Amino acid sequence: MASTAAQTCLTPEEYLAFERKATTKHEYLNGQIVAMSGASREHNLITVNTVNQLYTQLIDGACETYVSEMRVKNHRTDSYTYPDIVVVCDEPRFEDDVFDTLLNPIVLIEVLSPSTEAYDRGEKFAHYRQIAALQEYVLVSQDRIRVEHYLRQGTQWLLTEFCGLQEVLSLISIRCELRLSDVYRRITFPEESTTLTETGK
């Protein structure tokens, strides 16, 4: 989802009060609010495709999946963000009794766009890495077949890349698998003459 930096500086408390009244979404990093704009067709399709896979596999378990609207707070940096997809397991912990700001995500997934790619890889990931509960971070490109998977291993993050529709990403912390052929279902890339249909062909 696209974003633009705003110059307004607020305290975390001021931001949260402002955001709960706002008609559009804003993230909050380093005292500044970042306005979130609309997403492309490809972004929306990839997000829904991915969530469908997670929902099917997690439906009878102890995990919950949220899409786009669930705000995540990092206590260590006082940042607030809206990941494209959030997974939390066991008992979700929230900032207060409004239940709209999650504190303990275990998996975060971002679908990249030209305006947010550097932000998602850099500053945003730096904040995410400081969330104690987070075990896996996934970046999904929308203009080519590429999924990057970061797995926490102690104080390090192990990167694995997936670039083929036949590949399957294993999310170890939640015991789920993401098939790239399903993640990119109905997505057409510039160099291709055919659409990736429901069969992934």
Side-chain angles (χ1 to χ4, degrees), residues 11-45:
T11 66
E13 295 75 19
E14 289 171 337
Y15 159 78
L16 196 58
F18 162 81
E19 186 66 5
R20 284 174 170 164
K21 296 177 181 178
T23 57
T24 57
K25 294 188 300 184
H26 306 80
E27 297 191 328
Y28 178 81
L29 294 171
N30 303 320
Q32 292 191 335
I33 60 174
V34 181
M36 310 301 292
S37 61
S40 68
R41 170 184 177 270
E42 289 78 10
H43 188 290
N44 279 290
L45 282 174

Side-chain angles (χ1 to χ4, degrees), residues 15 17 40-41 44 53 72 75 77 79 95 101 103 105 108 116 146 148 165 182 193 198:
Y15 159 78
S40 68
R41 170 184 177 270
N44 279 290
Q53 291 190 70
V72 169
H75 269 305
T77 63
S79 63
E95 183 167 26
T101 306
L103 303 177
L108 296 177
T116 65
R146 184 182 183 187
E148 298 160 74
L165 288 178
D182 288 329
S193 59
E198 295 182 3

Side-chain angles (χ1 to χ4, degrees), residues 50 53-54 57 168-171 174-179:
T50 304
Q53 291 190 70
L54 293 174
Q57 296 175 66
V168 179
L169 162 61
S170 294
L171 294 170
I174 57 175
R175 299 181 180 180
C176 285
E177 293 185 339
L178 295 179
R179 299 180 181 277

Side-chain angles (χ1 to χ4, degrees), residues 82-114:
Y82 288 95
D84 290 317
I85 301 172
V86 182
V87 181
V88 61
C89 295
D90 299 320
E91 187 65 30
R93 292 191 293 109
F94 296 92
E95 183 167 26
D96 52 32
D97 58 5
V98 181
F99 304 112
D100 62 355
T101 306
L102 184 71
L103 303 177
N104 60 330
I106 190 170
V107 175
L108 296 177
I109 300 175
E110 297 282 6
V111 180
L112 300 175
S113 63

Side-chain angles (χ1 to χ4, degrees), residues 57-64:
Q57 296 175 66
L58 296 173
I59 187 170
D60 294 321
C63 299
E64 297 177 357

Side-chain angles (χ1 to χ4, degrees), residues 90-146:
D90 299 320
E91 187 65 30
R93 292 191 293 109
F94 296 92
E95 183 167 26
D96 52 32
D97 58 5
V98 181
F99 304 112
D100 62 355
T101 306
L102 184 71
L103 303 177
N104 60 330
I106 190 170
V107 175
L108 296 177
I109 300 175
E110 297 282 6
V111 180
L112 300 175
S113 63
S115 62
T116 65
E117 183 168 353
Y119 172 56
D120 289 340
R121 292 183 185 282
E123 184 177 11
K124 202 170 187 180
F125 188 25
H127 284 269
Y128 284 161
R129 289 197 298 269
Q130 298 184 58
I131 299 175
L134 185 65
Q135 297 300 310
E136 297 178 82
Y137 183 49
V138 179
L139 297 172
V140 184
S141 297
Q142 63 172 298
D143 58 355
R144 56 178 166 165
I145 301 168
R146 184 182 183 187

